[in-house]
Structures are given as C-alpha cells and as structure tokens.
Amino acid sequence: MRSMGLDVGSKTVGVALSDELGWTAQGLETIRISEEEKEFGFDQLGKIIKEYDVSTIVVGLPKNMNGTIGPRGEASQFFAGELERLFGLPVVLWDERLTTMAAERVLLEADVSRKKRKKVIDKMAASMILQGYLDSRK
C-alpha cells in the first residue's frame, strides 16, 4: 500500500507516490486543473489511486509564516475534504511552508532551465511534502 502526496495549486496539482514500503517519495506527474472552472483533476487522481493501490493521501497545507491559514490553505483544506469524500481514504494535511521554494532552490542548484523547472516543480514539491510525512512516521 502506497501513500500519495499532493501539492495543490490553482492551476496544477503535483503528484508524488511512496514506494510500497513507505520509505521514499518520488514525483509522478503534474495534473492541470482549473479552480475557476471547478475542474480539480479528481478523475485522474482516482485512476492513480486505483492503479497504485494508494492507502493514504497527504495534501500540502500552505500556512502563513505565522502559522495562520490563508486563502490557499483554505483551498487545500477544501481539496482534502473532497478527496476524503470521493475516495473514502484517510487524508492528512501536511504543513508545506517553503516546500515550493526549497524545490525551486534544488532545481536552480542543478542548473535546470526555467522551462524545465516549470514542468517539474509541482511534482517535486509534492515529493518533498510526502517525504516529510514519511520521515515523520519513523
């Protein structure tokens, strides 16, 4: 049984999966969504959940630096609630402060072009969110 990590934005959802033992997280894909048009990618996420036998979903919760929850955090909470309702799996909200910036820094240090960074940043952030959760369980 695997865990799935999600970095939820207004236009994309980065997806990462754990290995079957729950030790490591790997970025899988980035799903295009549209909050405005209420298209959240749940069909694609359902396929991933089924194909990889996902047992737990970890959703990044972007908190403000002072620990409060702003509009993006509220959107992540809504998304997590919908996942729980649709798929009946446990959903964990995981503090993701600075995760995207950390992913950006890693990609910059690896000298990845701006165009390529844009394609992988969300699934890399999802991987960092999921790895943080996996590490906390040990």
Side-chain angles (χ1 to χ4, degrees):
M1 298 272 229
R2 299 176 193 257
S3 296
M4 179 169 68
L6 302 176
D7 180 42
V8 181
S10 59
K11 296 179 181 170
T12 60
V13 176
V15 182
L17 287 172
S18 73
D19 63 291
E20 290 179 348
L21 298 174
W23 290 351
T24 61
Q26 299 87 30
L28 181 68
E29 67 178 272
T30 300
I31 300 171
R32 288 224 152 281
I33 65 168
S34 174
E35 259 184 13
E36 259 182 32
E37 297 176 23
K38 306 267 187 259
E39 294 171 9
F40 298 108
F42 293 130
D43 289 344
Q44 180 62 21
L45 290 170
K47 290 175 187 171
I48 294 168
I49 288 167
K50 188 173 183 178
E51 180 180 348
Y52 292 96
D53 196 22
V54 170
S55 60
T56 305
I57 304 170
V58 181
V59 175
L61 179 63
K63 292 182 179 180
N64 297 320
M65 292 313 287
N66 66 3
T68 61
I69 300 203
R72 285 297 339 138
E74 290 172 357
S76 291
Q77 289 174 322
F78 165 79
F79 197 89
E82 288 298 292
L83 288 169
E84 212 164 38
R85 185 181 67 77
L86 290 169
F87 302 110
L89 293 172
V91 177
V92 177
L93 286 162
W94 188 258
D95 185 349
E96 68 156 59
R97 280 179 275 193
L98 305 178
T99 304
T100 301
M101 287 195 311
E104 178 93 19
R105 196 173 320 115
V106 168
L107 293 170
L108 282 169
E109 288 173 6
D111 202 26
V112 176
S113 72
R114 179 179 297 242
K115 188 175 181 181
K116 286 183 182 171
R117 277 197 315 264
K118 196 170 180 168
K119 288 181 181 176
V120 300
I121 189 106
D122 295 319
K123 68 180 176 183
M124 187 167 189
S127 181
M128 294 173 109
I129 290 164
L130 181 55
Q131 192 65 56
Y133 167 77
L134 296 173
D135 290 348
S136 78
R137 297 182 346 176
K138 293 180 178 138

